[in-house]
Amino acid sequence: MALKDKHLADGEEIRLDLRTHWKALVGPLLILVLLVAFVAAAAVLTRDSDQGTWIVLAVAVVALALAVPGVLVPAWRWNSTRYVFTNRRVSNRYGLLTKRGRDIPLYRINDVAIEKGLLDRMLGCGTLVISDATDKAGMELHDVPRVEEVQVELQNLLFAADDGSDDGEWPPTEPRRRR
């Protein structure tokens, strides 16, 4: 559920449209391989049995029941989570059945940080933590691919929107107010 052109304001352009890193699919892929191996082992071990077909069918049903929460739901969650950066906002869209999202206008952002564990550093991903000038907690974007490049692009977007003045006007490009 990424932002589409119809969801953009006049003059707004998408700069980055990202999914979470592929590492989120490693666990479900391993579960799938184990489940297939389990069904294959059941088929090989019971091929000479009179009840072999029923046993393999029962094992396959159990494997399918385990595959839904262990493989299909995580893959669906990975496919439905998007991080979109435009020249005006940062957007996080996610959700399987109920779609959710949060946008932070660039002019509200006052801090951008990254967190990278050992595995994240090896895979080139990490968490981008964006704090804004509101009472709400900041936005944590987990498993962002090429997180350092994304942080640089976000900084470029922030500085492009800054008019250089420190007049306290929001948004920064808004004309000065009369006092």
Side-chain angles (χ1 to χ4, degrees):
M1 179 181 119
L3 291 178
K4 297 179 175 73
D5 287 340
K6 67 181 180 180
H7 300 131
L8 300 176
D10 292 338
E12 189 174 18
E13 302 170 357
I14 294 176
R15 298 293 174 90
L16 293 173
D17 186 356
L18 306 169
R19 281 198 171 100
T20 57
H21 194 267
W22 57 264
K23 83 172 189 176
L25 295 176
V26 171
L29 186 60
L30 290 175
I31 292 171
L32 180 63
V33 168
L34 288 173
L35 291 174
V36 169
F38 188 60
V39 172
V44 168
L45 294 173
T46 61
R47 67 176 167 227
D48 295 331
S49 171
D50 293 338
Q51 308 300 330
T53 304
W54 292 107
I55 293 172
V56 171
L57 183 61
V59 169
V61 168
V62 169
L64 183 62
L66 293 173
V68 170
V71 179
L72 293 177
V73 171
W76 189 11
R77 183 174 291 122
W78 173 81
N79 190 47
S80 69
T81 301
R82 300 299 282 243
Y83 307 138
V84 179
F85 297 78
T86 74
N87 59 335
R88 294 190 183 172
R89 61 182 157 158
V90 176
S91 178
N92 179 14
R93 298 287 189 262
Y94 59 96
L96 300 179
L97 298 177
T98 301
K99 300 297 185 182
R100 291 184 168 86
R102 180 171 177 202
D103 295 347
I104 297 180
L106 292 180
Y107 68 86
R108 292 266 186 213
I109 295 174
N110 60 12
D111 185 51
V112 179
I114 59 172
E115 298 173 3
K116 293 173 64 170
L118 180 61
L119 183 61
D120 290 340
R121 290 185 354 209
M122 291 189 312
L123 295 175
C125 64
T127 299
L128 189 67
V129 181
I130 301 169
S131 300
D132 61 344
T134 64
D135 292 336
K136 286 186 174 184
M139 183 185 291
E140 287 191 18
L141 307 178
H142 298 281
D143 294 331
V144 176
R146 302 176 327 275
V147 68
E148 290 172 334
E149 293 174 26
V150 172
Q151 183 189 27
V152 169
E153 179 63 23
L154 181 54
Q155 295 292 349
N156 288 336
L157 290 169
L158 291 172
F159 291 126
D162 187 6
D163 65 358
S165 68
D166 192 19
D167 58 6
E169 299 293 322
W170 295 103
T173 55
E174 177 181 280
R176 288 182 181 265
R177 295 185 197 139
R178 296 179 193 221
R179 303 223 185 239

